Amino acid sequence: MDRRNFLATVGTAVGASFIGRNAKASEKIEMMGILIDTTKCLGCRSCEYSCAEANGYPEPSDDSDKLFNSHRKTSENSLTVVNKFVIDENEIYVKEQCMHCAQPACAAACLTRAMHKTKEGPVVWDGSKCMGCRFCMISCPFDIPKFEYFSANPKISKCVMCWERLAKGEIPACAENCPNEAIVFGKRSDLIHEANNRIYSEPDAYVKHIYGEHEVGGTGVLYLSSVSFENFKFRTDLGEEAYPEFTKEFLYGVPVILTLFPAFLLALSNSTKREKTFTEGEGGNGH
Ligand code: SF4
Ligand code: SF4
């Protein structure tokens, strides 16, 4: 399938899945995802810039030479980062972001459902329900959710697969602005099909492994590479079982008082926020 046909298929799928949400609640919606082909990444970092712009984060530094000297992780100010690896004298660039697991450990650990998996695929976060316990950060096997420690009103930040853009029928900003088909957005099943096509039509260009197809029960973000994924410091020790399977054991052991406690804390947190706003309002008026 060439790029034009593939994107056309994907566009139809995006429209259908989101229109479907309103049309029939019972209709099965196929999970959307992102395929990152590291053999095609140019290291231009367009995805980082477009992500920052689309999500209202500060513009990333343009000093790529300096940034590529260290291995960067996503942060509270950057939902996606591109790292450079030199393997057998070849430069390979790898975009990192939330993996949007099929059964996310962060969502399973969140007692208030502030972090949750949408039926369309993205794992999103609802600030109005968050009580700031940071269980999501601790439980994520990919170390993705970050907390804004230095903010007066801290939030959990992570890639949400441009959820608001998807709802408008658009595709994620990073995928839209990648100049070399290194990022492709679409139905996860189509992406796996496309990844296998790429592997089997150019067997010397790829290792026969789609990272994310089976890891932790499958993820929405999938990777292709010419070298094994250990080279990119990817976790290759995670197994194929979804992490919530482990969390379930933990939650069964949590007494009911602990499952009610979050609601209490959330109510307390909201009332403190309200009080703070009221007091600030009074001060602002000079009374
Ligand atoms: S910090 Fe918020 S989102 Fe994370 S687990 Fe706690 S309530 Fe859920
Ligand atoms: S999907 Fe959106 S939020 Fe996620 S990395 Fe791409 S541009 Fe950033």
Side-chain angles (χ1 to χ4, degrees):
M1 191 186 293
D2 65 23
R3 176 179 164 79
R4 188 170 305 171
N5 287 340
F6 185 66
L7 287 177
T9 309
V10 161
T12 312
V14 177
S17 66
F18 282 87
I19 293 162
R21 184 172 48 173
N22 296 327
K24 273 190 196 167
S26 59
E27 211 169 89
K28 189 176 179 298
I29 293 174
E30 249 202 274
M31 182 164 135
M32 308 304 289
I34 289 177
L35 172 65
I36 299 175
D37 186 341
T38 62
T39 72
K40 295 189 181 297
C41 180
L42 307 167
C44 65
R45 299 178 51 231
S46 296
C47 52
E48 282 188 37
Y49 290 100
S50 47
C51 174
E53 191 183 345
N55 292 286
Y57 284 93
E59 187 176 329
S61 159
D62 60 3
D63 192 349
S64 293
D65 289 342
K66 187 167 163 217
L67 294 181
F68 284 148
N69 280 335
S70 60
H71 182 246
R72 289 185 297 151
K73 302 288 291 175
T74 58
S75 72
E76 66 277 19
N77 284 324
S78 44
L79 307 184
T80 187
V81 292
V82 179
N83 283 308
K84 177 170 114 176
F85 298 88
V86 180
I87 317 244
D88 296 332
E89 298 182 2
N90 295 317
E91 291 178 354
I92 304 178
Y93 299 95
V94 182
K95 176 190 196 289
E96 288 184 24
Q97 61 174 84
C98 172
M99 295 292 287
H100 297 282
C101 306
Q103 295 180 63
C106 60
C110 181
L111 297 173
T112 63
R113 285 206 18 97
M115 190 73 82
H116 60 279
K117 177 87 177 163
T118 58
K119 56 184 179 300
E120 292 86 359
V123 177
V124 302
W125 175 81
D126 176 350
S128 69
K129 293 184 177 164
C130 180
M131 63 181 186
C133 65
R134 284 163 269 159
F135 283 177
C136 51
M137 289 173 63
I138 301 161
S139 60
C140 173
F142 300 105
D143 185 27
I144 290 295
K146 297 290 183 317
F147 188 66
E148 297 173 333
Y149 287 101
F150 303 109
S151 162
N153 182 21
K155 300 193 300 282
I156 296 286
S157 69
K158 72 175 246 336
C159 160
V160 294
M161 215 190 275
C162 283
W163 175 239
E164 287 182 8
R165 289 172 58 93
L166 299 190
K168 289 188 277 180
E170 297 171 8
I171 69 170
C174 57
E176 187 174 272
N177 290 286
C178 177
N180 206 36
E181 293 177 58
I183 310 168
V184 186
F185 173 75
K187 277 199 288 186
R188 186 174 184 271
S189 55
D190 286 346
L191 295 176
I192 289 174
H193 186 69
E194 172 70 9
N196 278 313
N197 268 348
R198 291 189 190 189
I199 291 174
Y200 289 103
S201 49
E202 284 184 88
D204 294 338
Y206 297 98
V207 289
K208 288 188 178 53
H209 180 181
I210 306 170
Y211 188 90
E213 184 176 9
H214 300 297
E215 280 78 6
V216 296
T219 59
V221 174
L222 305 159
Y223 281 90
L224 285 176
S225 165
S226 60
V227 296
S228 63
F229 289 96
E230 288 90 351
N231 288 291
F232 305 150
K233 302 189 198 293
F234 276 23
R235 295 281 305 271
T236 51
D237 59 339
L238 296 172
E240 297 188 356
E241 190 158 5
Y243 268 45
E245 294 301 320
F246 303 118
T247 322
K248 215 176 355 181
E249 295 301 316
F250 162 72
L251 287 175
Y252 284 148
V254 176
V256 71
I257 185 69
L258 277 186
T259 54
L260 295 176
F261 201 46
F264 168 70
L265 284 181
L266 183 60
L268 191 65
S269 156
N270 285 343
S271 91
T272 315
K273 274 184 215 161
R274 268 199 302 276
E275 221 167 83
K276 190 163 172 277
T277 315
F278 180 66
T279 312
E280 277 166 1
E282 279 185 331
N285 289 334
H287 298 303

